[in-house]
Amino acid sequence: MWKQICRQIWNQRRANAWLWIELCIVTVLLWYGIDLVYNYEGAAWQSKGYDTSCVFDLTMETKPLEVINDADNRRAGEDFTYLYNLIKDYPGVEEVCAYHGSIPYTDDVMFEGYAPHADSTHVVLCFIRYVTPSYFKVFRLKPLAGQLDETHWSSAEYPMPVLMSVDLVDSLFHQPSVADAVGKTCFNPYWLNRDNPVTNYRLTAVLPRHKLDDYERYEPFIYLPAPKALWWQHVAIRVAPDHVAGFAERFRNDMQPVFDRGIFYLNHIRSYDDMKEAYDVQEGTVNYLNTVYAVAAFFLFNVFLCVFATFWYRTRKRRCEVAIRMAMGSRRSMILSYFILEGLMLLLLAAVPALVLAINLQLADLTVHTLMDVTTGRFVACFLVAILFLALIIVLAVWYPARQAMAIQPAEALHDE
């Protein structure tokens, strides 16, 4: 059958040439559109390196100075500790931590440079978070190598223990494996001219790749110990899954009066999911993606109509051929398979030059890769999806009119011709 299909395609080469060119162009354009969508959706599906599901962000503020007295100021540390412990005891709360520095889904970022002792000129900029020991339980961070010793997670330790993302470890130490970097030390050159320089940090564990937002690239990250939970830090609360629904509203209603204590009041409590939605709207990400996806969907619909209509018309025009094959004793399933395989063969023939064009577009750096790296796996996956989508359209466009043609008696079809 394949030999017969190839012979017929060659005999009808003039008619098939335009169809071949159309399929070639459509394949390249469809691949490009799928690759564009992959750039954003692939980044959104990537892990941020830490788990924010079922986690809520709480912040506290201080009252205006005119309503604060000296007794409240002296009792501020005690009041905050009391409120912090109340959060731990609230129904549904599993873990609580405090941290500051680079906050997910906000513009609040902190970064500095670090250098290995082996090469003080090699300074790597990275994002910073100062965290209490329970942070790693709240955000469910699992080291790739090494482990966190909570009993020694303190800024008073020397060398000070730190945890780094794998990107920072690779950039700083250039070890064959991340496990070999555990125990290595580095320093912060910006502290050298301070009155009390902290110049020695020891890597205790290596963490997965990190980023601050779903639609961002991975960046180097470092975690340092926070001395203790303080009121101006962010408080992260991990909540049991069955208590997540309505947790922020319940907590605010129950605890708003309690947090009105001394110099403090409850500023806000919101889930990280809500923070993500608000941040995406604020940064214009939602509008941008809606525009991109609307254009992609419109193009996809036009591709569907173009290819579907072409093969529909092509199949209906060959009713006489279907009738002759049926009159010669060919089974209907064989005829249907023949027409479908012929369409798929045309697609495969068009895929070869389309693949060459796509590779050259990729090598010329004309694709969008702002969030996801260009890799062989990405290229192959997007191209295969484009081919499979076109193959599905061809099968549908051939199947229905061929079934209709086979439902007519051969003599009637030949008489109409």
Side-chain angles (χ1 to χ4, degrees):
M1 182 182 290
W2 286 104
K3 188 175 181 180
Q4 185 181 358
I5 290 173
C6 293
R7 186 185 298 114
Q8 181 159 351
I9 291 175
W10 174 252
N11 292 337
Q12 298 176 349
R13 56 187 176 277
R14 289 190 176 181
N16 289 330
W18 292 107
L19 180 58
W20 178 81
I21 294 172
E22 175 190 339
L23 287 174
C24 181
I25 295 173
V26 166
T27 301
V28 174
L29 294 177
L30 185 59
W31 160 77
Y32 192 91
I34 293 171
D35 186 80
L36 176 65
V37 173
Y38 179 89
N39 179 65
Y40 298 107
E41 287 305 305
W45 280 95
Q46 282 182 327
S47 169
K48 296 185 295 297
Y50 47 94
D51 182 12
T52 56
S53 62
C54 303
V55 180
F56 289 76
D57 178 71
L58 180 146
T59 58
M60 297 167 60
E61 291 292 344
T62 57
K63 298 172 183 176
L65 292 176
E66 53 268 19
V67 301
I68 298 176
N69 55 47
D70 292 339
D72 290 335
N73 270 326
R74 288 192 298 269
R75 206 176 58 245
E78 179 185 336
D79 287 342
F80 176 76
T81 302
Y82 171 77
L83 295 174
Y84 189 75
N85 290 330
L86 281 182
I87 298 173
K88 295 179 181 179
D89 296 332
Y90 190 80
V93 173
E94 294 182 341
E95 294 285 348
V96 179
C97 72
Y99 74 101
H100 67 280
S102 299
I103 312 300
Y105 307 126
T106 69
D107 292 325
D108 297 334
V109 295
M110 181 186 296
F111 55 89
E112 286 183 344
Y114 293 84
H117 285 101
D119 183 5
S120 60
T121 63
H122 179 58
V123 180
V124 180
L125 287 175
C126 63
F127 289 98
I128 306 171
R129 281 191 187 135
Y130 292 89
V131 304
T132 56
S134 55
Y135 175 94
F136 304 101
K137 293 180 180 178
V138 171
F139 288 95
R140 294 180 175 172
L141 277 162
K142 296 180 179 179
L144 301 176
Q147 59 182 1
L148 171 68
D149 184 359
E150 292 190 10
T151 59
H152 293 90
W153 184 254
S154 168
S155 57
E157 293 283 329
Y158 190 87
M160 186 187 296
V162 297
L163 277 70
M164 298 179 183
S165 70
V166 67
D167 292 296
L168 180 57
V169 171
D170 289 340
S171 300
L172 272 180
F173 302 116
H174 306 294
Q175 295 296 311
S177 69
V178 292
D180 295 333
V182 175
K184 297 288 185 180
T185 60
C186 64
F187 71 99
N188 184 340
Y190 303 107
W191 282 82
L192 293 179
N193 297 323
R194 302 289 183 89
D195 295 334
N196 184 25
V198 179
T199 61
N200 203 353
Y201 303 90
R202 180 178 179 275
L203 177 63
T204 59
V206 181
L207 299 175
R209 306 183 77 186
H210 273 48
K211 56 183 180 177
L212 287 171
D213 181 32
D214 292 354
Y215 298 105
E216 287 186 4
R217 280 182 167 271
Y218 286 119
E219 299 287 353
F221 257 83
I222 188 170
Y223 286 91
L224 296 96
K228 61 179 180 178
L230 300 170
W231 68 267
W232 48 268
Q233 298 171 340
H234 285 255
V235 176
I237 308 169
R238 173 160 290 280
V239 178
D242 55 342
H243 285 75
V244 168
F247 178 82
E249 291 75 14
R250 291 195 306 274
F251 188 94
R252 190 178 296 109
N253 294 334
D254 296 341
M255 303 298 284
Q256 188 89 49
V258 179
F259 270 70
D260 187 8
R261 182 184 180 92
I263 68 172
F264 301 115
Y265 69 91
L266 178 62
N267 182 27
H268 75 245
I269 178 170
R270 53 185 176 172
S271 70
Y272 278 88
D273 291 339
D274 291 339
M275 291 173 64
K276 170 188 162 26
E277 291 181 8
Y279 188 70
D280 286 345
V281 172
Q282 172 189 322
E283 294 297 301
T285 305
V286 173
N287 290 335
Y288 177 76
L289 291 179
N290 285 342
T291 302
V292 170
Y293 293 161
V295 172
F298 178 75
F299 171 72
L300 195 66
F301 180 70
N302 279 274
V303 166
F304 176 81
L305 289 181
C306 176
V307 177
F308 189 86
T310 299
F311 278 89
W312 181 291
Y313 173 75
R314 186 172 180 273
T315 305
R316 281 188 61 85
K317 191 178 178 182
R318 297 168 66 182
R319 285 201 314 166
C320 181
E321 181 182 342
V322 173
I324 292 175
R325 289 179 179 276
M326 291 178 63
M328 296 293 292
S330 295
R331 297 193 307 273
R332 295 186 179 187
S333 60
M334 185 179 295
I335 297 172
L336 182 61
S337 300
Y338 181 89
F339 277 81
I340 290 176
L341 290 176
E342 183 184 358
L344 295 179
M345 176 63 77
L346 285 169
L347 175 61
L348 290 177
L349 291 174
V352 175
L355 179 62
V356 175
L357 286 173
I359 291 174
N360 280 277
L361 287 173
Q362 190 82 80
L363 294 176
D365 199 25
L366 296 177
T367 56
V368 179
H369 46 83
T370 53
L371 302 180
M372 297 286 291
D373 293 331
V374 175
T375 62
T376 303
R378 169 180 173 175
F379 177 84
V380 171
C382 293
F383 195 83
L384 286 178
V385 170
I387 294 296
L388 291 175
F389 181 75
L390 288 174
L392 178 63
I393 296 175
I394 290 172
V395 170
L396 292 175
V398 170
W399 176 80
Y400 188 73
R403 293 276 295 182
Q404 283 186 320
M406 287 184 291
I408 303 174
Q409 292 297 323
E412 182 180 346
L414 292 171
H415 180 268
D416 289 341
E417 292 295 331

